[in-house]
Amino acid sequence: MNTIAEQYVKLVLAVGQHDADYVDAFYGPAEWKTEAARQKIALAGIDATAARLGGDIAAVRDDGDELAGLRREYLRRQLDALRARVRMLQGTKLTFDEESQALYDAVAPRHPDSYFEDILKEIDRALPGTGPLIDRYDAFRQQFIVPAERLSPVFDRAIAECRGRTLAHVALPADEHFTVEYVKNKPWSGYNWYQGNFRSLIQVNTDLPIYIDRAVDLACHEGYPGHHVYNALLEQHLVRDRGWVEFTIYPLFSPQSLIAEGTANYGIEVAFPGAERLAFERDVLFPLAGLDSSQADAYARVRTLTDRLAYAGNEAARRYVNGEIDRAAAAAWLSRYAMSSPKAAEQRTHFFDTYRSYVINYNLGKDLVKQFVESRGGAGTARRWEEFARLLASPRLPSGLRN
Ligand SMILES: [Zn+2]
């Protein structure tokens, strides 16, 4: 398997020569990357090698260890996704659902407009004032914007809190660490660039106003117990302890992304069960940001409702990617059903351009991870952390979460 795994890593690097977004992280031997750039294998050649490797994996016999079995199945499926991405680069057009199945091993459920209409009615009742819902929502949210000069201390405090909560339940490598940078002009709101050796670079996009709830969201999602912890645990348990080189590379358009985004989003409620998030935001972050703590409860109530609109982005992306609506219509749809500001909706359509069906990894990923962890007895805090950490350190596929 190690020989196959090494060839897989080299294939992912080869695809990266044709697709600049494909290799999200790589911390294996640097000369493999140089060699991929030198060879610049054609897409047809990559596909032929991937097909052969798939056959090689099928011929490997299981050695009984559960993790080894997961590894084999995972590598096989990652290779299938690589071949799908290669076909896309060769010009094959897939529908949104075909693409998400091929790349992320999952298809998001569909929701009719009426599903979102019902949630919007509840939000309408929860917000003060009269006039169009989107205007009242926007006016209401104004009071929760973190002033630019407070961003850094607020994020630092949120990160420290998330780290402490994670360390209480998960053993992390002693020298794990990340740095935070504030950037502009990106299609995403935050990004974790894993660099190996238990290090990440986390970038926060400040193009749009940053609301106070983004502090906990980003600190958990990008940092603890999200992407940074996920990558560090894979490196420690699979790369270093077991010598599984395939985990030194992360192809973005692959089933691994559903696990990565799903665990990063579910990790927020693992770190802050029940009312603990509200208490922390109200008592610590609101004062630090200079915001009115007496409004924290009201904000949390509205957010609980708007969180239920999470799947709205999939509907907009599906129609946009399938060519049923154009950019303006997608942005209008997002403003209406996801209550995005015009600027945020516009930013989101650019995210769709680059990442397409990737959007399902956030919401469907979270729901699949939540159901998986909690169905394994992870309802109480300690058991939930245990199952969650086990998932973070194992090669499990999205379709394997449904068991
Ligand atoms: Zn993410």
Side-chain angles (χ1 to χ4, degrees):
M1 278 303 288
N2 286 341
T3 318
I4 297 171
E6 182 176 325
Q7 293 178 76
Y8 159 81
V9 175
K10 290 176 178 171
L11 271 187
V12 173
L13 289 169
V15 178
Q17 292 300 310
H18 299 270
D19 176 354
D21 296 315
Y22 190 63
V23 181
D24 196 70
F26 174 61
Y27 53 91
E31 60 273 21
W32 291 4
K33 196 173 169 182
T34 323
E35 185 60 14
R38 195 187 62 76
Q39 288 190 326
K40 206 169 190 320
I41 304 171
L43 290 167
I46 294 172
D47 186 58
T49 309
R52 182 176 52 73
L53 276 186
D56 292 350
I57 293 174
V60 174
R61 280 165 22 95
D62 254 337
D63 61 6
D65 178 336
E66 191 207 2
L67 218 51
L70 288 176
R71 175 197 197 192
R72 201 174 64 126
E73 189 51 25
Y74 183 85
L75 205 46
R76 187 194 61 72
R77 188 62 185 80
Q78 289 284 115
L79 269 170
D80 282 349
L82 178 143
R83 296 188 67 195
R85 185 68 186 173
V86 166
R87 282 197 297 280
M88 287 171 67
L89 293 169
Q90 287 171 319
T92 298
K93 299 259 183 284
L94 299 177
T95 64
F96 184 88
D97 289 341
E98 286 168 349
E99 180 187 302
S100 76
Q101 177 59 45
L103 297 183
Y104 310 117
D105 195 30
V107 173
R110 287 171 183 257
H111 292 89
D113 292 3
S114 59
Y115 170 84
F116 302 108
E117 296 280 5
D118 290 345
I119 301 169
L120 290 175
K121 279 182 201 145
E122 286 188 58
I123 298 171
D124 189 74
R125 285 193 290 273
L127 287 173
T130 52
L133 175 61
I134 186 77
D135 294 345
R136 280 187 291 139
Y137 178 58
D138 209 48
F140 175 72
R141 284 210 297 173
Q142 292 298 318
Q143 55 189 320
F144 306 109
I145 293 173
V146 182
E149 72 279 7
R150 308 275 182 118
L151 264 185
S152 184
V154 166
F155 270 122
D156 289 349
R157 182 62 186 84
I159 290 163
E161 183 71 19
C162 294
R163 184 168 187 272
R165 285 169 178 260
T166 302
L167 276 173
H169 296 278
V170 184
L172 295 180
D175 48 350
E176 59 80 21
H177 180 72
F178 67 70
T179 43
V180 180
E181 274 180 15
Y182 296 90
V183 298
K184 283 189 179 294
N185 296 315
K186 303 291 179 190
W188 35 257
S189 58
Y191 214 104
N192 177 306
W193 304 96
Y194 192 67
Q195 299 171 319
N197 286 319
F198 312 126
R199 296 280 193 284
S200 296
L201 166 66
I202 291 177
Q203 293 185 320
V204 177
N205 185 359
T206 58
D207 285 341
L208 300 177
I210 295 185
Y211 301 93
I212 187 72
D213 51 306
R214 293 297 288 153
V216 164
D217 274 351
L218 280 171
C220 283
H221 182 105
E222 309 294 347
Y224 307 93
H227 294 323
H228 174 68
V229 169
Y230 172 61
N231 285 296
L233 291 181
L234 288 180
E235 180 172 3
Q236 181 177 45
H237 294 286
L238 302 188
V239 176
R240 298 207 183 185
D241 292 354
R242 292 193 174 233
W244 292 355
V245 73
E246 68 270 34
F247 293 97
T248 61
I249 200 156
Y250 171 16
L252 192 66
F253 307 110
S254 74
Q256 183 169 3
S257 281
L258 185 136
I259 305 292
E261 302 300 355
T263 51
N265 271 353
Y266 178 56
I268 302 168
E269 61 183 78
V270 175
F272 293 90
E276 291 182 30
R277 174 172 179 171
L278 168 61
F280 173 66
E281 289 180 335
R282 181 189 59 220
D283 301 339
V284 180
L285 295 186
F286 269 68
L288 200 54
L291 303 179
D292 178 3
S293 302
S294 72
Q295 291 302 306
D297 274 291
Y299 189 41
R301 271 199 304 279
V302 169
R303 243 168 39 217
T304 304
L305 291 170
T306 55
D307 282 351
R308 289 170 50 204
L309 296 171
Y311 280 84
N314 296 0
E315 298 301 330
R318 182 186 282 113
R319 293 168 202 197
Y320 180 66
V321 165
N322 288 348
E324 293 161 21
I325 55 175
D326 63 9
R327 183 186 308 284
W333 205 93
L334 286 168
S335 291
R336 167 122 184 78
Y337 293 104
M339 292 207 303
S340 307
S341 70
K343 271 184 151 179
E346 164 85 13
Q347 187 190 68
R348 198 115 168 87
T349 64
H350 290 287
F351 188 92
F352 296 164
D353 289 334
T354 310
Y355 301 104
R356 301 170 54 91
S357 66
Y358 191 95
V359 294
I360 73 155
N361 294 328
Y362 298 99
N363 42 55
L364 181 63
K366 178 191 168 180
D367 287 347
L368 289 177
V369 166
K370 179 182 170 75
Q371 174 259 318
F372 177 79
V373 168
E374 295 179 7
S375 72
R376 291 162 86 92
T381 302
R383 283 282 296 121
R384 184 151 68 161
W385 270 108
E386 193 183 320
E387 287 297 339
F388 182 69
R390 198 195 321 274
L391 174 60
L392 286 179
S394 64
R396 204 169 280 275
L397 288 166
S399 51
L401 295 178
R402 294 186 186 273
N403 299 335

Coordinates of all heavy atoms in Angstrom, one line a residue, residues 318-383:
R318 N -26.5 25.3 -7.0 CA -26.9 24.2 -7.9 C -27.5 24.8 -9.2 O -27.1 24.4 -10.3 CB -28.0 23.3 -7.3 CG -28.4 22.2 -8.1 CD -29.5 21.3 -7.6 NE -29.1 20.4 -6.5 CZ -29.5 20.5 -5.2 NH1 -30.2 21.5 -4.8 NH2 -29.0 19.6 -4.4
R319 N -28.4 25.8 -9.0 CA -29.0 26.4 -10.2 C -27.9 27.2 -11.0 O -28.0 27.2 -12.3 CB -30.1 27.4 -9.8 CG -31.3 26.6 -9.2 CD -32.2 27.5 -8.5 NE -33.0 26.7 -7.5 CZ -34.1 27.1 -6.9 NH1 -34.6 28.3 -7.3 NH2 -34.7 26.4 -6.0
Y320 N -27.0 27.9 -10.3 CA -26.0 28.7 -11.0 C -25.0 27.7 -11.8 O -24.8 28.0 -13.0 CB -25.3 29.5 -10.0 CG -24.2 30.4 -10.5 CD1 -24.5 31.5 -11.4 CD2 -22.9 30.2 -10.2 CE1 -23.5 32.3 -11.9 CE2 -21.9 31.0 -10.6 CZ -22.2 32.1 -11.5 OH -21.2 32.9 -12.0
V321 N -24.5 26.7 -11.1 CA -23.6 25.8 -11.7 C -24.2 25.1 -12.9 O -23.6 24.8 -13.9 CB -23.0 24.8 -10.7 CG1 -22.3 23.6 -11.3 CG2 -22.1 25.5 -9.7
N322 N -25.5 24.7 -12.7 CA -26.2 24.0 -13.8 C -26.6 24.9 -15.0 O -27.2 24.5 -15.9 CB -27.5 23.3 -13.3 CG -27.1 22.1 -12.4 OD1 -26.0 21.7 -12.4 ND2 -28.1 21.6 -11.7
G323 N -26.3 26.2 -14.8 CA -26.6 27.2 -15.9 C -28.1 27.6 -16.0 O -28.5 28.2 -17.0
E324 N -28.8 27.3 -14.9 CA -30.3 27.7 -14.9 C -30.5 29.1 -14.6 O -31.5 29.7 -15.0 CB -31.0 26.8 -13.9 CG -31.1 25.3 -14.3 CD -31.4 24.4 -13.1 OE1 -32.0 25.0 -12.1 OE2 -31.1 23.3 -13.1
I325 N -29.5 29.7 -13.9 CA -29.6 31.2 -13.5 C -28.3 31.8 -13.7 O -27.2 31.1 -13.6 CB -30.1 31.4 -12.1 CG1 -29.3 30.7 -11.1 CG2 -31.6 31.0 -11.9 CD1 -29.6 30.9 -9.6
D326 N -28.2 33.1 -13.9 CA -27.0 33.8 -14.1 C -26.5 34.4 -12.8 O -27.2 34.2 -11.7 CB -27.0 34.9 -15.2 CG -28.0 36.0 -14.9 OD1 -28.5 36.0 -13.7 OD2 -28.3 36.8 -15.7
R327 N -25.4 35.1 -12.8 CA -24.8 35.6 -11.6 C -25.8 36.5 -10.8 O -25.9 36.4 -9.6 CB -23.5 36.3 -11.9 CG -22.8 36.8 -10.6 CD -21.5 37.7 -10.9 NE -20.6 37.0 -11.8 CZ -19.8 36.1 -11.4 NH1 -19.8 35.6 -10.2 NH2 -19.0 35.5 -12.3
A328 N -26.4 37.4 -11.6 CA -27.3 38.4 -10.9 C -28.4 37.7 -10.3 O -28.8 38.0 -9.1 CB -27.8 39.4 -12.0
A329 N -29.0 36.7 -10.9 CA -30.1 35.9 -10.4 C -29.7 35.1 -9.1 O -30.4 35.0 -8.2 CB -30.7 35.0 -11.4
A330 N -28.5 34.6 -9.2 CA -28.0 33.8 -8.1 C -27.8 34.7 -6.8 O -28.1 34.4 -5.7 CB -26.6 33.1 -8.4
A331 N -27.2 35.9 -7.1 CA -27.0 36.9 -6.0 C -28.4 37.3 -5.5 O -28.6 37.4 -4.2 CB -26.2 38.1 -6.5
A332 N -29.4 37.5 -6.3 CA -30.7 37.9 -5.9 C -31.3 36.8 -5.0 O -32.0 37.1 -4.0 CB -31.6 38.3 -7.1
W333 N -31.1 35.6 -5.5 CA -31.7 34.5 -4.8 C -31.1 34.4 -3.4 O -31.7 34.1 -2.4 CB -31.4 33.2 -5.6 CG -32.4 32.1 -5.2 CD1 -33.6 31.8 -5.9 CD2 -32.3 31.1 -4.2 NE1 -34.2 30.8 -5.3 CE2 -33.5 30.3 -4.2 CE3 -31.4 30.9 -3.2 CZ2 -33.7 29.3 -3.3 CZ3 -31.6 29.9 -2.3 CH2 -32.8 29.1 -2.3
L334 N -29.8 34.6 -3.3 CA -29.1 34.6 -2.0 C -29.5 35.7 -1.1 O -29.6 35.5 0.1 CB -27.6 34.7 -2.2 CG -26.9 33.4 -2.8 CD1 -25.5 33.7 -3.2 CD2 -26.9 32.3 -1.7
S335 N -29.8 36.8 -1.7 CA -30.3 38.0 -0.8 C -31.6 37.6 -0.3 O -31.9 37.9 0.9 CB -30.4 39.2 -1.7 OG -29.1 39.7 -2.0
R336 N -32.4 37.0 -1.1 CA -33.8 36.7 -0.7 C -33.8 35.5 0.3 O -34.4 35.6 1.4 CB -34.6 36.3 -1.9 CG -36.0 35.7 -1.6 CD -37.1 36.5 -2.2 NE -38.5 36.0 -1.9 CZ -39.0 36.2 -0.7 NH1 -38.4 36.8 0.2 NH2 -40.2 35.6 -0.5
Y337 N -33.2 34.4 0.0 CA -33.3 33.2 0.8 C -32.2 32.9 1.8 O -32.4 32.2 2.8 CB -33.5 32.0 -0.1 CG -34.8 32.0 -0.8 CD1 -34.9 32.4 -2.2 CD2 -36.0 31.8 -0.2 CE1 -36.1 32.4 -2.9 CE2 -37.3 31.9 -0.8 CZ -37.3 32.2 -2.2 OH -38.5 32.3 -2.9
A338 N -31.0 33.5 1.6 CA -30.0 33.3 2.6 C -29.8 34.6 3.3 O -28.9 34.7 4.2 CB -28.7 32.9 1.9
M339 N -30.5 35.6 3.0 CA -30.5 37.0 3.6 C -29.0 37.5 3.6 O -28.6 38.2 4.5 CB -31.0 36.9 5.1 CG -32.5 36.7 5.1 SD -33.3 37.3 6.5 CE -32.4 36.5 7.8
S340 N -28.3 37.3 2.5 CA -27.0 37.9 2.3 C -27.1 39.3 1.9 O -28.1 39.7 1.2 CB -26.3 37.1 1.2 OG -26.3 35.7 1.4
S341 N -26.2 40.1 2.4 CA -26.2 41.5 1.9 C -25.8 41.5 0.5 O -25.2 40.5 0.0 CB -25.1 42.3 2.7 OG -23.8 41.9 2.4
P342 N -26.1 42.5 -0.3 CA -25.7 42.5 -1.8 C -24.2 42.2 -2.0 O -23.9 41.4 -2.9 CB -26.1 43.9 -2.2 CG -27.2 44.4 -1.3 CD -26.8 43.7 0.0
K343 N -23.4 42.8 -1.1 CA -21.9 42.5 -1.3 C -21.6 41.1 -1.0 O -20.7 40.4 -1.7 CB -21.1 43.4 -0.4 CG -20.8 44.8 -1.1 CD -19.9 45.6 -0.1 CE -19.0 46.5 -0.8 NZ -18.1 47.3 0.1
A344 N -22.2 40.5 0.1 CA -21.9 39.2 0.5 C -22.4 38.2 -0.6 O -21.7 37.2 -0.8 CB -22.5 38.9 1.9
A345 N -23.5 38.5 -1.1 CA -24.1 37.6 -2.2 C -23.2 37.6 -3.4 O -22.9 36.6 -4.0 CB -25.5 38.1 -2.5
E346 N -22.7 38.8 -3.7 CA -21.8 38.9 -4.9 C -20.5 38.1 -4.6 O -20.0 37.3 -5.4 CB -21.5 40.4 -5.1 CG -20.2 40.7 -6.0 CD -20.5 40.7 -7.5 OE1 -21.7 40.7 -7.8 OE2 -19.6 40.6 -8.3
Q347 N -20.0 38.2 -3.4 CA -18.7 37.5 -3.0 C -19.0 36.0 -3.1 O -18.2 35.2 -3.6 CB -18.3 37.8 -1.6 CG -17.0 37.2 -1.2 CD -16.7 37.4 0.3 OE1 -17.4 36.8 1.2 NE2 -15.8 38.2 0.7
R348 N -20.2 35.6 -2.7 CA -20.6 34.2 -2.7 C -20.6 33.6 -4.2 O -20.3 32.5 -4.4 CB -21.9 34.0 -2.0 CG -22.2 32.7 -1.5 CD -22.3 32.6 0.0 NE -22.9 31.3 0.4 CZ -22.2 30.2 0.5 NH1 -20.9 30.2 0.4 NH2 -22.8 29.0 0.8
T349 N -21.1 34.4 -5.1 CA -21.2 33.9 -6.5 C -19.8 33.7 -7.0 O -19.6 32.8 -7.8 CB -22.0 34.8 -7.4 OG1 -21.3 36.1 -7.5 CG2 -23.4 35.1 -7.0
H350 N -18.8 34.5 -6.6 CA -17.5 34.2 -7.0 C -16.9 33.0 -6.4 O -16.1 32.3 -7.0 CB -16.6 35.5 -6.7 CG -16.9 36.6 -7.6 ND1 -16.6 36.6 -8.9 CD2 -17.6 37.7 -7.4 CE1 -17.1 37.7 -9.5 NE2 -17.7 38.4 -8.5
F351 N -17.4 32.7 -5.2 CA -17.0 31.4 -4.5 C -17.5 30.3 -5.4 O -16.9 29.3 -5.6 CB -17.6 31.3 -3.1 CG -17.1 30.2 -2.3 CD1 -15.9 30.3 -1.5 CD2 -17.7 29.0 -2.3 CE1 -15.5 29.2 -0.7 CE2 -17.3 27.9 -1.6 CZ -16.2 28.0 -0.8
F352 N -18.8 30.4 -5.9 CA -19.4 29.3 -6.7 C -18.6 29.1 -8.0 O -18.4 28.0 -8.4 CB -20.8 29.7 -7.1 CG -21.8 29.8 -6.0 CD1 -23.0 30.5 -6.2 CD2 -21.6 29.3 -4.7 CE1 -24.0 30.6 -5.2 CE2 -22.5 29.4 -3.7 CZ -23.7 30.1 -4.0
D353 N -18.0 30.2 -8.5 CA -17.2 30.1 -9.8 C -16.1 29.2 -9.6 O -15.8 28.3 -10.4 CB -16.7 31.5 -10.2 CG -17.8 32.4 -10.7 OD1 -18.8 31.9 -11.2 OD2 -17.6 33.6 -10.7
T354 N -15.4 29.4 -8.4 CA -14.1 28.6 -8.2 C -14.4 27.2 -7.6 O -13.8 26.3 -8.0 CB -13.2 29.4 -7.2 OG1 -13.1 30.7 -7.7 CG2 -11.9 28.7 -7.1
Y355 N -15.4 27.2 -6.7 CA -15.5 26.0 -5.9 C -16.7 25.1 -6.2 O -16.9 24.0 -5.7 CB -15.5 26.3 -4.4 CG -14.2 27.0 -4.0 CD1 -14.1 28.4 -3.8 CD2 -13.0 26.3 -3.9 CE1 -12.9 29.0 -3.4 CE2 -11.8 26.9 -3.6 CZ -11.8 28.2 -3.3 OH -10.6 28.8 -3.0
R356 N -17.7 25.7 -6.9 CA -18.8 25.0 -7.5 C -19.6 24.2 -6.4 O -20.0 24.7 -5.4 CB -18.4 24.1 -8.6 CG -17.8 25.0 -9.8 CD -17.1 24.1 -10.8 NE -18.0 23.1 -11.3 CZ -18.8 23.3 -12.4 NH1 -18.8 24.4 -13.1 NH2 -19.6 22.3 -12.8
S357 N -19.6 22.8 -6.6 CA -20.4 22.0 -5.6 C -19.7 21.9 -4.3 O -20.3 21.2 -3.4 CB -20.8 20.7 -6.2 OG -19.6 19.9 -6.4
Y358 N -18.6 22.4 -4.1 CA -17.8 22.4 -2.8 C -18.7 22.9 -1.7 O -18.6 22.5 -0.5 CB -16.6 23.2 -2.9 CG -15.6 23.0 -1.8 CD1 -14.5 22.2 -1.9 CD2 -15.7 23.8 -0.6 CE1 -13.6 22.0 -0.8 CE2 -14.8 23.6 0.5 CZ -13.8 22.7 0.3 OH -12.9 22.6 1.4
V359 N -19.7 23.8 -2.0 CA -20.5 24.4 -1.0 C -21.2 23.4 -0.1 O -21.5 23.7 1.1 CB -21.6 25.4 -1.6 CG1 -20.9 26.6 -2.2 CG2 -22.4 24.7 -2.6
I360 N -21.5 22.2 -0.6 CA -22.3 21.2 0.2 C -21.4 20.7 1.3 O -22.0 20.2 2.3 CB -22.8 20.0 -0.7 CG1 -21.6 19.1 -1.0 CG2 -23.5 20.4 -1.9 CD1 -22.0 17.6 -1.3
N361 N -20.1 20.8 1.2 CA -19.3 20.3 2.3 C -19.5 20.9 3.6 O -19.3 20.3 4.7 CB -17.8 20.4 1.9 CG -17.5 19.5 0.7 OD1 -18.1 18.4 0.5 ND2 -16.6 20.0 -0.2
Y362 N -19.9 22.2 3.6 CA -20.1 22.9 4.9 C -21.4 22.5 5.6 O -21.3 22.2 6.8 CB -20.2 24.4 4.6 CG -18.9 25.0 4.0 CD1 -18.8 25.2 2.6 CD2 -17.8 25.3 4.8 CE1 -17.7 25.7 2.0 CE2 -16.7 25.8 4.2 CZ -16.6 26.0 2.8 OH -15.4 26.4 2.3
N363 N -22.5 22.5 4.9 CA -23.7 22.2 5.6 C -24.1 20.7 5.6 O -24.3 20.1 6.7 CB -24.9 23.0 5.0 CG -24.9 23.0 3.5 OD1 -24.8 22.0 2.8 ND2 -24.8 24.2 2.9
L364 N -24.0 20.0 4.5 CA -24.3 18.6 4.5 C -23.1 17.9 5.3 O -23.4 17.0 6.1 CB -24.3 18.0 3.1 CG -24.6 16.5 3.0 CD1 -26.0 16.1 3.6 CD2 -24.5 16.0 1.5
G365 N -21.9 18.4 5.1 CA -20.8 17.8 5.8 C -21.0 17.9 7.3 O -20.8 16.9 8.1
K366 N -21.4 19.0 7.8 CA -21.7 19.2 9.2 C -22.8 18.2 9.7 O -22.6 17.6 10.7 CB -22.1 20.6 9.5 CG -22.4 20.8 11.0 CD -23.1 22.2 11.3 CE -23.7 22.1 12.7 NZ -24.4 23.3 13.1
D367 N -23.9 18.1 8.9 CA -25.0 17.3 9.4 C -24.5 15.8 9.4 O -24.9 15.1 10.3 CB -26.2 17.5 8.5 CG -26.9 18.8 8.8 OD1 -26.5 19.5 9.8 OD2 -27.7 19.3 7.9
L368 N -23.8 15.4 8.4 CA -23.3 14.0 8.3 C -22.4 13.7 9.5 O -22.5 12.6 10.1 CB -22.6 13.7 7.0 CG -23.5 13.6 5.8 CD1 -22.7 13.4 4.5 CD2 -24.6 12.5 5.9
V369 N -21.5 14.6 9.8 CA -20.5 14.4 10.9 C -21.3 14.4 12.2 O -21.0 13.5 13.1 CB -19.4 15.5 10.9 CG1 -18.7 15.5 12.2 CG2 -18.5 15.3 9.7
K370 N -22.2 15.3 12.4 CA -23.0 15.4 13.6 C -23.7 14.1 13.9 O -23.6 13.5 14.9 CB -23.9 16.5 13.5 CG -24.9 16.7 14.7 CD -25.8 17.9 14.4 CE -26.9 18.0 15.5 NZ -26.5 18.6 16.8
Q371 N -24.4 13.6 12.8 CA -25.2 12.4 12.9 C -24.2 11.2 13.2 O -24.5 10.3 14.1 CB -26.0 12.2 11.6 CG -26.8 10.9 11.5 CD -26.0 9.9 10.6 OE1 -25.5 10.3 9.6 NE2 -26.0 8.7 11.0
F372 N -23.1 11.1 12.6 CA -22.1 10.1 12.8 C -21.6 10.0 14.2 O -21.7 9.0 14.9 CB -21.0 10.2 11.8 CG -19.9 9.2 12.0 CD1 -20.0 7.9 11.5 CD2 -18.7 9.5 12.7 CE1 -19.0 6.9 11.6 CE2 -17.7 8.5 12.8 CZ -17.9 7.2 12.3
V373 N -21.2 11.2 14.7 CA -20.6 11.3 16.1 C -21.7 10.9 17.1 O -21.4 10.2 18.0 CB -20.0 12.7 16.3 CG1 -19.7 12.9 17.8 CG2 -18.7 12.8 15.5
E374 N -22.8 11.5 16.9 CA -23.9 11.4 18.0 C -24.5 10.0 17.9 O -24.9 9.5 19.0 CB -24.9 12.6 17.9 CG -24.1 13.9 18.2 CD -24.9 15.1 18.2 OE1 -26.2 15.1 18.0 OE2 -24.3 16.2 18.3
S375 N -24.5 9.4 16.8 CA -25.1 8.0 16.7 C -24.2 7.0 17.4 O -24.6 5.9 17.7 CB -25.4 7.6 15.3 OG -24.1 7.4 14.6
R376 N -22.9 7.4 17.5 CA -21.9 6.5 18.2 C -21.9 6.8 19.7 O -20.8 6.5 20.3 CB -20.6 6.6 17.5 CG -20.6 6.0 16.1 CD -19.4 6.5 15.3 NE -18.3 5.7 15.4 CZ -18.0 4.7 14.7 NH1 -18.8 4.3 13.7 NH2 -16.8 4.0 14.8
G377 N -22.9 7.3 20.2 CA -23.0 7.5 21.7 C -22.3 8.8 22.1 O -22.2 9.1 23.3
G378 N -22.1 9.7 21.1 CA -21.4 11.0 21.4 C -22.4 12.1 21.8 O -22.4 13.2 21.2
A379 N -23.3 11.8 22.7 CA -24.3 12.8 23.1 C -23.8 13.6 24.3 O -23.9 14.9 24.3 CB -25.6 12.2 23.4
G380 N -23.2 13.0 25.3 CA -22.6 13.7 26.4 C -21.3 14.4 26.0 O -20.7 13.9 25.0
T381 N -20.9 15.4 26.7 CA -19.7 16.2 26.2 C -18.5 15.3 26.1 O -17.8 15.4 25.0 CB -19.4 17.3 27.3 OG1 -20.6 18.1 27.3 CG2 -18.3 18.2 26.8
A382 N -18.1 14.5 27.1 CA -16.8 13.8 27.0 C -16.9 12.7 25.9 O -15.9 12.6 25.1 CB -16.5 13.1 28.3
R383 N -18.0 12.0 25.8 CA -18.1 11.0 24.7 C -18.1 11.6 23.4 O -17.5 11.1 22.4 CB -19.3 10.1 24.9 CG -19.3 9.1 26.0 CD -18.5 7.9 25.6 NE -19.1 7.1 24.5 CZ -18.5 6.9 23.3 NH1 -17.3 7.3 23.1 NH2 -19.2 6.2 22.4

